[in-house]
Amino acid sequence: MDTYVTSQQKYINEFDARQFLQTYHRAKDGILTGEFTIFVMKHLHETFTKGGVRGHTLLDFGTGAAIYHLLSASEVFDEIIVSDLLEQNRAEFQKWLEKDPDAFDWTHIIKFVCELEGNGSLQKHLSDNLRTEVMDTPVTSQQKYINEFNAKQFLQTYHGAQDGVLTSEWTEFVIKNLHETFIKGGVRGDTLLDFGTGASIYHLLSACEVFDNIIVSDLLEENRAEFQKWLEKDPDAFDWTHIIKCVCELEGNGDDCDKKAEKLCSKVKEFLICDALKGKPFDPVDVSPVDCLLCCLCLEAPCKDMKSYCEVLKNFKDLIKPGGHLLVLSGLNATRYYVGANRFSLLSSNKEDLEKAFKEAGYQIEKAVYAPRVNNSGMEVADFRGKYFIHARKPRSSQILLDSFGL
Ligand SMILES: C[S@@+](CC[C@H](N)C(=O)[O-])C[C@H]1O[C@@H](n2cnc3c(N)ncnc32)[C@H](O)[C@@H]1O
């Protein structure tokens, strides 16, 4: 009889990742080590290094736990996504990424590729390079933000009327949750502070109905200048009409777009420069505690891990009145986003870690909403897999006392 196709279950049960590497890729007598590996590496070297096939992302399908075919690619792609059916391959690959002493030794092959590329002595460079392209890239520096973040290009790519990556699903999520919080939910007061505004206004359109003053802020002068253009009705300002219209419809005033824009302009009192990573993010400016701090698509940009995210939340407490509100909305499980050709890293966050961070920072969580990303188009531009909204409160001092006595 014809041989049958090996089932997935057999792969899951019987495929030994390490044994495969030893049998096929071992230095001296691996079955693929000579002729086949040379064939692959020579053709990929010609394609990537000499042939000009290059770009942002290379997806390697069915990687197993092997790296030999990715070595030339790591020179010409910013990121490499590896994939496989089997967890055991992922685990074995991970060992190599983490320089685990028990990881498979690919030195003989790395050496060969280095020689092909005319860099016989650069084995370490090539393997480190491959590791960084596969692993999460390091956190984007503030200097990179200052040099490379183009405010106008960000708005067009993410909030453009026709095809902005955030225009439908993300924006709907934000304006719906903020409408419920501000207009229906009774969160209101004297001052709202928006942290990491960028040059965006969409998340402030409901807030302007229930706060007397809005302070906006960002790390970048570039964003302040672009925001200012909108306030001043500069003909070159970004056109937010499509989103203003959606919010007006949500509020039952479909035709009042101009009035809404006017109202928001009149409530925005200042644009401050801030840095989330400073203990006092507005230093040297003194900001009195506010009724509500809003933060939309920001904290995953500067924070390198959840510890740092939690630190930022702790520092925010000095900016919020006792009993005041903290509203954070952002993407889940993201690693990066692009503005033009420039890549910016994102901290990958999830429900459990986020809630832990809010609690550890001393907030009471009033409401948390999580939703998966439904439309995956634009994934190559921004790779968030879901979205979250957390409404938390800074406890009043009496509440802190009760909590400390476990009451
Ligand atoms: C993805 S954009 C989001 C902008 C806007 N909130 C929106 O929803 O469209 C991330 C923003 O975070 C800002 N940012 C990056 N690092 C920061 C830091 N250390 N402190 C404050 N803002 C920062 C950037 O300047 C950028 O405007």
Side-chain angles (χ1 to χ4, degrees):
M1 279 173 81
D2 283 345
T3 49
Y4 56 86
V5 178
T6 301
S7 68
Q8 287 193 5
Q9 201 51 52
K10 185 173 162 97
Y11 264 95
I12 293 166
N13 296 345
E14 298 181 13
F15 189 94
D16 183 321
R18 189 45 174 258
Q19 208 167 10
F20 178 87
L21 295 182
Q22 299 286 14
T23 311
Y24 289 92
H25 295 294
R26 189 162 47 196
K28 295 230 144 35
D29 53 357
I31 292 173
L32 302 177
T33 298
E35 196 179 323
F36 180 77
T37 312
I38 293 172
F39 177 85
V40 170
M41 292 189 303
K42 193 169 154 289
H43 283 286
L44 293 182
H45 168 71
E46 274 164 19
T47 308
F48 294 135
T49 316
K50 289 177 162 181
V53 173
R54 56 189 56 224
H56 290 309
T57 310
L58 176 131
L59 168 63
D60 182 42
F61 199 88
T63 306
I67 66 143
Y68 67 105
H69 56 303
L70 302 172
L71 288 158
S72 286
S74 73
E75 294 292 314
V76 294
F77 285 89
D78 296 333
E79 64 172 25
I80 296 175
I81 302 169
V82 292
S83 64
D84 199 78
L85 174 72
L86 301 179
E87 262 305 335
Q88 56 264 46
N89 279 326
R90 172 152 61 181
E92 189 62 41
F93 194 98
Q94 197 66 27
K95 277 197 213 158
W96 181 79
L97 283 182
E98 288 167 8
K99 301 193 175 89
D100 185 322
D102 182 45
F104 185 74
D105 184 2
W106 290 98
T107 313
H108 55 297
I109 291 182
I110 297 171
K111 211 167 164 207
F112 181 81
V113 178
C114 287
E115 269 154 24
L116 258 184
E117 295 188 354
N119 300 322
S121 58
L122 288 181
Q123 289 164 51
K124 187 167 170 335
H125 156 78
L126 198 56
S127 56
D128 283 352
N129 203 26
L130 176 53
R131 282 190 178 94
T132 33
E133 301 315 353
V134 174
M135 283 171 95
D136 284 350
T137 46
V139 181
T140 300
S141 66
Q142 290 196 1
Q143 201 52 51
K144 183 171 160 106
Y145 265 96
I146 293 167
N147 296 343
E148 297 181 10
F149 189 94
N150 180 315
K152 191 69 170 221
Q153 204 168 17
F154 175 83
L155 295 181
Q156 254 140 17
T157 309
Y158 290 93
H159 298 297
Q162 302 304 330
D163 53 0
V165 175
L166 301 175
T167 298
S168 50
E169 195 179 326
W170 169 256
T171 312
E172 269 167 36
F173 179 79
V174 173
I175 62 178
K176 184 172 162 288
N177 278 297
L178 293 181
H179 172 75
E180 278 167 14
T181 308
F182 294 134
I183 311 293
K184 293 178 167 178
V187 172
R188 55 189 59 224
D190 177 50
T191 305
L192 175 135
L193 169 61
D194 182 41
F195 197 94
T197 306
S200 297
I201 65 138
Y202 66 106
H203 53 307
L204 302 170
L205 290 160
S206 285
C208 73
E209 298 294 329
V210 294
F211 286 90
D212 299 331
N213 307 297
I214 295 179
I215 302 171
V216 290
S217 65
D218 197 82
L219 177 72
L220 301 179
E221 271 297 342
E222 162 100 14
N223 281 325
R224 171 151 67 179
E226 189 61 40
F227 192 97
Q228 198 63 30
K229 277 195 210 160
W230 183 78
L231 283 182
E232 287 166 6
K233 302 191 179 66
D234 185 317
D236 184 45
F238 186 74
D239 184 1
W240 290 97
T241 314
H242 55 296
I243 297 181
I244 300 176
K245 212 161 168 220
C246 289
V247 176
C248 287
E249 268 159 22
L250 210 56
E251 292 177 2
N253 308 313
D255 299 329
D256 279 352
C257 289
D258 290 346
K259 258 196 196 159
K260 173 64 101 180
E262 274 310 321
K263 193 164 211 170
L264 176 53
C265 284
S266 72
K267 298 283 175 86
V268 175
K269 305 297 172 181
E270 48 189 337
F271 195 125
L272 299 176
I273 295 299
C274 62
D275 176 0
L277 300 180
K278 280 188 186 165
K280 289 178 179 238
F282 294 95
D283 199 33
V285 175
D286 241 346
V287 175
S288 305
V290 296
D291 304 284
C292 181
L293 194 157
L294 173 63
C295 187
C296 207
L297 287 181
C298 174
L299 298 186
E300 281 78 3
C303 295
K304 71 173 192 306
D305 51 26
M306 287 311 292
K307 191 164 167 267
S308 138
Y309 185 105
C310 182
E311 268 315 298
V312 176
L313 295 184
K314 282 184 190 161
N315 295 332
F316 277 176
K317 276 164 73 192
D318 293 339
L319 301 166
I320 304 171
K321 289 180 186 168
H325 303 268
L326 171 61
L327 309 174
V328 183
L329 303 100
S330 197
L332 291 168
N333 300 117
T335 64
R336 48 98 186 118
Y337 69 105
Y338 283 92
V339 180
N342 296 320
R343 175 198 167 102
F344 297 89
S345 70
L346 292 171
L347 167 66
S348 176
S349 51
N350 62 58
K351 175 181 186 298
E352 290 71 29
D353 290 347
L354 284 164
E355 292 188 7
K356 195 166 157 240
F358 275 78
K359 286 177 192 157
E360 221 169 287
Y363 291 91
Q364 294 159 348
I365 297 179
E366 296 282 306
K367 181 179 179 184
V369 182
Y370 303 92
R373 178 173 179 166
V374 180
N375 182 353
N376 284 334
S377 64
M379 196 63 119
E380 69 290 355
V381 186
D383 68 349
F384 64 95
R385 316 275 152 155
K387 25 200 201 281
Y388 70 87
F389 164 52
I390 297 181
H391 174 185
R393 287 187 91 157
K394 172 175 162 174
R396 295 178 192 282
S397 31
S398 54
Q399 185 60 47
I400 298 172
L401 264 179
L402 290 174
D403 286 349
S404 66
F405 288 114
L407 299 170

